[in-house]
C-alpha cells in the first residue's frame, strides 16, 4: 500500500551530495513525509520528516515541493557509510503504521 | 541509551517446526512493533502493541503466528508451524508514546531460515 515512488537505485561519489527523489502525488494534507534508511544487516534508521517546510538536521536535508507532490532527501557530503536502502514514507501523524516500499538503493563509491 | 535488543540473531529450522523470537524495547517506550522483511522487500508490519494491548494485528497470519507483550515491556513473536515462505528477517521496533511516535527505533533483527 506504499504511496510513494522512488528510483530503485542510485550512485554517488564519496564527498558529493546525494539527492534522492521521492514522488508522492496522492499525499493528503495531514500526511507527513518520512525518510528512513537501512544499512546492510541492520534495522531501519529514522533520518528526517517534514510536512511542507524544508527541514534540516545533522543527518540530512529534506526539500518538499510547494505542491507537496514530491520531495528530495539530500545528504550533503556522502560517505561510504551512507551506502544503504533509503525509504520514503508518507503517513499521517498519530497514525503509527509505517508502510515501506522497496526504497532506493544508494551506493556511495570512492 | 541502550537500543532495541533482539535474540536470537539467526535461526535455522525445518518446515513445520516452531520458533520464537524475543524483543526488549528501549526503556520507557510504550509502543512496540514487529515487522517481517522478506529479501528484497521493505519491512511489513505484523503487529503493533501499545503497552500490553494490541493496536494493529491486521497483517499477522494468526493461524500460525502469535505475539505477546506481557507487562508491557518485553515481547515474543512465535511461529508454529513454520513454512518455507516464513524465511525472512523479523524486526522489532519501539517508540516512546503513541501520539508522538513519528520516530521508530529498530533492533538488528532476527534472520530466520526455514528449510
Amino acid at each position: 500500500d506504499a504511496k510513494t515512488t522512488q528510483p530503485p537505485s542510485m550512485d554517488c561519489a564519496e564527498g558529493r551530495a546525494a539527492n534522492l527523489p521521492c514522488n508522492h502525488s496522492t499525499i493528503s494534507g495531514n500526511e507527513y513525509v518520512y525518510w528512513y534508511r537501512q544499512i546492510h544487516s541492520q534495522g531501519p534508521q529514522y533520518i528526517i520528516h517534514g510536512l511542507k517546510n524544508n527541514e534540516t538536521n545533522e543527518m540530512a536535508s529534506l526539500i518538499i515541493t510547494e505542491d507537496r507532490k514530491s520531495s528530495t532527501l539530500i545528504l550533503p557530503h556522502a560517505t561510504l557509510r551512507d551506502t544503504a536502502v533509503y525509504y520514503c514514507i508518507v503517513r499521517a501523524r498519530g497514525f503509527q503504521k509505517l508502510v515501506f516500499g522497496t526504497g532506493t538503493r544508494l551506493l556511495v563509491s570512492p | 541509551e541502550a537500543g532495541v535488543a533482539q535474540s536470537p540473531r539467526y535461526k535455522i529450522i525445518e518446515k513445520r517446526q516452531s520458533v520464537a523470537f524475543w524483543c526488549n524495547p528501549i526503556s520507557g517506550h510504550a509502543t512496540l512493533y514487529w515487522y517481517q522483511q522478506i529479501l528484497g522487500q521493505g519491512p511489513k508490519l505484523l503487529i503493533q502493541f501499545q503497552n500490553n494491548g494490541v493496536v494493529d494485528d491486521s497483517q499477522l497470519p494468526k493461524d500460525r503466528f502469535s505475539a505477546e507483550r506481557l507487562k508491557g515491556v518485553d515481547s515474543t513473536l512465535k511461529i508454529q508451524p513454520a513454512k518455507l515462505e516464513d524465511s525472512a528477517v523479523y524486526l522489532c521496533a519501539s517508540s516512546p508514546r503513541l501520539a508522538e511516535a513519528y520516530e521508530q527505533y529498530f533492533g538488528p533483527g532476527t534472520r530466520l531460515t526455514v528449510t
Side-chain angles (χ1 to χ4, degrees):
Chain A
D1 293 354
K3 306 182 204 178
T4 62
T5 303
Q6 299 178 254
S9 63
M10 293 184 64
D11 295 323
C12 180
E14 188 178 20
R16 304 297 292 270
N19 299 294
L20 292 93
C22 179
N23 183 289
H24 32 79
S25 58
T26 61
I27 192 170
S28 301
N30 66 338
E31 288 182 318
Y32 287 69
V33 180
Y34 295 80
W35 283 84
Y36 278 73
R37 75 178 182 183
Q38 188 171 23
I39 295 171
H40 183 62
S41 295
Q42 297 183 21
Q45 174 191 24
Y46 165 83
I47 301 173
I48 198 168
H49 77 286
L51 182 63
K52 53 184 178 181
N53 297 321
N54 298 337
E55 302 288 344
T56 295
N57 63 19
E58 65 279 4
M59 290 183 67
S61 294
L62 174 60
I63 308 298
I64 303 174
T65 58
E66 192 169 343
D67 63 7
R68 304 211 318 126
K69 292 185 177 182
S70 66
S71 61
T72 301
L73 180 75
I74 301 172
L75 308 178
H77 305 287
T79 70
L80 299 180
R81 289 175 295 181
D82 292 322
T83 291
V85 177
Y86 287 77
Y87 298 98
C88 170
I89 300 167
V90 296
R91 166 176 164 259
R93 190 163 184 180
F95 179 68
Q96 302 310 303
K97 193 171 183 175
L98 288 176
V99 179
F100 290 84
T102 52
T104 295
R105 185 172 299 275
L106 176 68
L107 175 63
V108 181
S109 302
Chain B
E1 74 186 349
V4 176
Q6 291 188 247
S7 67
R9 291 296 313 276
Y10 305 92
K11 189 74 176 179
I12 300 174
I13 62 172
E14 296 181 351
K15 59 183 179 183
R16 291 186 289 273
Q17 287 186 324
S18 62
V19 64
F21 312 126
W22 174 82
C23 173
N24 185 14
I26 293 173
S27 177
H29 280 195
T31 311
L32 185 147
Y33 316 80
W34 282 102
Y35 290 84
Q36 179 193 59
Q37 185 171 24
I38 293 172
L39 186 64
Q41 299 180 16
K44 181 184 80 172
L45 180 70
L46 292 176
I47 189 167
Q48 176 185 337
F49 293 93
Q50 174 70 9
N51 296 312
N52 60 351
V54 176
V55 175
D56 184 348
D57 64 356
S58 58
Q59 298 198 82
L60 186 74
K62 299 181 185 63
D63 58 335
R64 298 183 301 106
F65 286 64
S66 64
E68 61 181 8
R69 191 183 184 198
L70 299 176
K71 302 180 181 179
V73 181
D74 293 6
S75 177
T76 57
L77 176 70
K78 297 179 181 178
I79 307 175
Q80 182 180 10
K83 293 185 176 181
L84 295 177
E85 59 261 35
D86 297 332
S87 293
V89 175
Y90 291 85
L91 294 159
C92 180
S94 68
S95 56
R97 287 190 297 272
L98 194 65
E100 299 176 4
Y102 59 83
E103 184 172 348
Q104 295 184 16
Y105 298 82
F106 284 79
T110 296
R111 182 176 298 276
L112 174 67
T113 301
V114 182
T115 62

